[in-house]
Amino acid sequence: MSPLTPYRRLFARPGTRAFTLGNLVARLPMGMFGVSAVVMIASARGSYALAGAVTATGLAATAVVAPWTARLVDRHGQARVAVPATALALLGGIGLVLCVRFGAPDWTLFAAYAATATTPNTGGMSRARWAHLLQDDPAALHTANSFEQAADELCFMLGPALAALLSGTLFPEAGMLVGSVLLMTGVLLFAAQRSTEPPLRPRTVSRSPVRVPRMPPLLLVFLATGAVFGAMEVVTIAFADARGHRSAAGAVLALQAAGSCAAGLLYGSVGQSGTAPESLAERRFPRCVAAMAVLLTLPLLAVVLTGSLPPLAGALLLAGMATAPTMVTGMTLVQRRTPEGRLNEGMTLAVTGLLGGMAAGSAVGGWVVEHVSPEAGYGVPVLAATLAFAVAALGARPGAVRRNRARADLVLPERGPRTVPGERSAGVPAGAAASSDPSNPCANSGAAH
C-alpha cells in the first residue's frame, strides 16, 4: 500500500478538505508571529533580550487565557467563540506594531503582546473535528493526528521564512501585519464549515483535564518540549544575525520543521497494530522523547565545531525528525485521557504547556545569547529535551502507570456516562459531582494552561 493511501481515505470524507484548508490558513501565522515580533523589536530597540522577554510574556499570557477560551469553545461551539476571540487578539497585535513603530515605552510592548492571548487554538479545534468524525476508527484517527502534526510543522516551516522575508525585504512590521490578516481570514473560513463542527454536548460531571490522573506528567513533558522550540527560535535568529545573515534565520529554522513534517507524514502512514491505541502510545512516547533529546545535540555540535550556518541547517533538519512522532504520540495520549465533553480544553492544555515552555525557553535562550554567546544558547534546547525525557520515563514506569490507573478507576471514570447538572452519575459521590461541575469556574480554578 502506498504511504499516501491512508491520507487519500482521510480526505475522501465530506467536508474535511474545506475545514482543513481554512485551518491551514489560520495556522500559518502561528509560525510567523514569534519571528516577526523578535525581528521587529530587535530592529527597533537593538536588544534580543527585550525581544525574547516580550514574546515570552505573550506566550505566558496565552498559556493562562487559552484554557478558558477552549472551555468556552466546548460549551458554546467553535464558530461562536473562535471569531470574536480572534478579533480581540488582532487588536493586541496591531497595538504592538503601533507601539514599536512610534517608539512607545518598553512596558507598552509587553502589554500589547499580552493582549494577543485570546487567539484560539486552531490546531486543537481541527483535531477535535477529526476526533468527532473518526471516533469509531482509531487507525484513521492516528493518521489524522499525524497529518495535523505535519500541518503544524509545515506552518512553522513556512511561517518563519515568510515572516523573515517580509520583515527583511519590506519593513520590520510587515510580518506581523500580514500574519494578522491571514489569521482572521483563516478563522472565518474555518468557522464557516459548520457541517463538520462537533455538536455541543450536555455538560458532563467531570473534573478538569489537568486534574485527571496521568495528565500532569504528560503536560510537564509538553512544557519542556515547548522550551526546546522557544529557545531554538531565539538562539538561531541571534546566531544568524551574529554572522550577518539575519534574513536567513527563517530558512534555517524552516529546515527543522521540514524534518519534522516529513517524519510526521511517514509516521501517520504506519497503521496502528492490534494493540489498544493508548497502550501503544504509552510504550512509544518515552522512546520518541529520548530520540528527540539525542538528536538535539546535533545543532549544538554543529555550531561549536564549525560555527557556520550550513552545518547548522543540516543538523536542524535531522533534529526535527524526532519532533513529530513525539507530538503525535503525546497528543494521542491527551485525547485518550481527556474527560468526555472537554476535548478542546484538554488539547489546549497540552498546547498551553508548549506555549508556557516556549515562553521560558525564549526568555532563557535570549538571556544566554545576550550574556554568554549564541553558541552557548544551543545548550538550552538540549537541557530542556533531557528534562522532558526524564519526566516521560518516570511517568512510563509500570508501577506508576498501575497506580495512576487504580486512582482513575477509584476516583472518577475518564469517560463516564453523560449527565447534566443536578444529576449524579454512577459511582460518583454527590459531593464530588458538585465540586467538578464545569459550570462553576471556581471548581476548576486549579487548572493551569
Side-chain angles (χ1 to χ4, degrees):
M1 181 178 68
S2 168
L4 297 179
T5 300
Y7 296 100
R8 293 194 186 100
R9 293 173 181 169
L10 196 66
F11 289 103
R13 292 171 169 81
T16 55
R17 296 182 183 182
F19 86 72
T20 299
L21 176 61
N23 196 270
L24 287 175
V25 174
R27 262 196 273 188
L28 178 61
M30 302 306 175
M32 298 176 62
F33 288 139
V35 172
S36 296
V38 169
V39 172
M40 180 173 65
I41 295 171
S43 298
R45 305 297 169 94
S47 172
Y48 279 103
L50 175 63
V54 170
T55 56
T57 300
L59 292 172
T62 302
V64 173
V65 174
W68 295 93
T69 304
R71 190 173 299 178
L72 290 175
V73 169
D74 282 328
R75 291 181 181 178
H76 304 291
Q78 295 181 351
R80 291 182 61 186
V81 175
V83 175
T86 302
L88 287 175
L90 291 189
L91 294 178
I94 294 172
L96 177 65
V97 170
L98 294 176
C99 289
V100 172
R101 187 69 172 177
F102 294 103
D106 288 350
W107 68 265
T108 63
L109 307 186
F110 292 90
Y113 205 53
T116 65
T118 61
T119 304
N121 177 15
T122 52
M125 291 190 295
S126 184
R127 287 177 172 92
R129 294 200 181 202
W130 287 120
H132 164 63
L133 296 173
L134 306 173
Q135 53 189 322
D136 297 323
D137 191 345
L141 184 58
H142 168 73
T143 301
N145 284 335
S146 298
F147 171 80
E148 288 297 325
Q149 185 59 39
D152 281 340
E153 300 299 343
L154 178 65
C155 293
F156 280 97
M157 175 175 64
L158 299 178
L162 179 59
L165 177 66
L166 292 171
S167 299
T169 59
L170 297 179
F171 50 92
E173 299 86 359
M176 185 68 70
L177 294 175
V178 172
S180 298
V181 173
L182 289 175
L183 175 61
M184 192 75 248
T185 302
V187 168
L188 289 172
L189 291 173
F190 178 78
Q193 311 306 315
R194 304 300 292 269
S195 63
T196 53
E197 183 176 353
L200 295 179
R201 300 180 183 272
R203 292 183 183 179
T204 58
V205 179
S206 59
R207 64 180 62 195
S208 170
V210 77
R211 298 170 62 190
V212 171
R214 295 183 291 155
M215 277 290 275
L218 186 57
L219 296 178
L220 286 177
V221 175
F222 278 98
L223 182 71
T225 304
V228 171
F229 300 150
M232 190 68 75
E233 185 175 279
V234 171
V235 171
T236 299
I237 293 174
F239 182 81
D241 188 25
R243 279 146 185 79
H245 300 291
R246 177 188 291 180
S247 60
V252 173
L253 287 169
L255 286 174
Q256 181 186 14
S260 184
C261 181
L265 291 174
L266 181 61
Y267 190 63
S269 67
V270 179
Q272 298 276 3
S273 66
T275 310
E278 185 174 1
S279 299
L280 184 62
E282 284 176 352
R283 293 203 309 269
R284 286 179 174 176
F285 191 53
R287 301 171 190 172
C288 292
V289 180
M292 181 177 69
V294 171
L295 289 178
L296 279 170
T297 61
L298 296 178
L300 177 61
L301 292 174
V303 297
V304 169
L305 296 178
T306 69
S308 62
L309 280 178
L312 173 62
L316 287 174
L317 177 66
L318 294 175
M321 290 183 178
T323 303
T326 299
M327 297 299 298
V328 171
T329 310
M331 279 296 183
T332 298
L333 292 175
V334 169
Q335 289 174 343
R336 302 299 299 177
R337 297 174 185 178
T338 299
E340 180 97 25
R342 306 187 77 159
L343 187 56
N344 280 292
E345 184 180 351
M347 288 189 293
T348 299
L349 283 170
V351 174
T352 295
L354 287 172
L355 293 177
M358 289 175 69
S362 178
V364 173
W367 187 92
V368 172
V369 165
E370 193 97 345
H371 294 86
V372 186
S373 69
E375 291 81 2
Y378 282 99
V380 178
V382 176
L383 292 175
T386 303
L387 176 61
F389 169 67
V391 175
L394 289 173
R397 290 184 304 173
V401 172
R402 284 195 297 270
R403 286 193 299 271
N404 283 324
R405 282 177 177 166
R407 288 175 56 201
D409 292 339
L410 288 171
V411 178
L412 184 67
E414 289 186 19
R415 296 193 179 274
R418 299 173 191 165
T419 62
V420 296
E423 293 182 351
R424 291 177 58 186
S425 65
V428 183
S435 66
S436 60
D437 181 359
S439 65
N440 177 12
C442 296
N444 297 308
S445 60
H449 190 277

